[in-house]
């Protein structure tokens, strides 16, 4: 019985014998939280800009059927 226990104990896959475990270890070792934080902040800033522009457009009450109004808005957006 003890030989079965030792066999099971020594046959467990390790990071060096298991490619998935090695890959997971590599990912964890190379993880840089600051780059993730920077990307999330950039995404949040972009979402905030979209929300602001949507609010600005909703308060303008523009007739979207008017091509002249749309040209005017396009001109303002391009600078």
């Amino acid at each position: 019985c003890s030989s079965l226990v030792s066999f099971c104990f020594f046959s467990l896959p390790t990071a060096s014998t298991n490619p998935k475990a090695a890959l997971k270890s590599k990912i964890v070792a190379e993880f840089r939280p600051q780059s993730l934080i920077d990307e999330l902040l950039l995404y949040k800033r972009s979402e905030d800009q979209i929300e602001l522009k949507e609010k600005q457009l909703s308060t303008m009450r523009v007739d979207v059927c008017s091509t002249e109004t749309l040209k005017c808005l396009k001109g303002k957006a391009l600078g």
Side-chain angles (χ1 to χ4, degrees):
C1 185
S2 65
S3 62
L4 179 62
V5 171
S6 63
F7 172 76
C8 290
F9 178 74
F10 289 111
S11 66
L12 291 175
T14 61
S16 60
T17 61
N18 185 344
K20 282 188 177 182
L23 180 61
K24 287 179 184 180
S25 295
K26 181 181 176 188
I27 290 170
V28 169
E30 294 176 356
F31 178 68
R32 301 290 180 253
Q34 189 56 48
S35 62
L36 176 62
I37 291 169
D38 293 342
E39 289 291 324
L40 289 172
L41 287 173
L42 186 63
Y43 176 77
K44 175 70 171 126
R45 202 172 302 129
S46 173
E47 288 290 313
D48 290 344
Q49 283 293 320
I50 291 170
E51 186 178 334
L52 175 66
K53 289 181 181 190
E54 286 176 347
K55 285 180 181 178
Q56 288 173 339
L57 284 174
S58 69
T59 59
M60 291 175 73
R61 298 181 187 190
V62 176
D63 179 12
V64 292
C65 296
S66 170
T67 56
E68 192 62 38
T69 305
L70 291 176
K71 285 180 187 177
C72 181
L73 282 174
K74 186 177 179 182
K76 287 182 181 180
L78 296 177

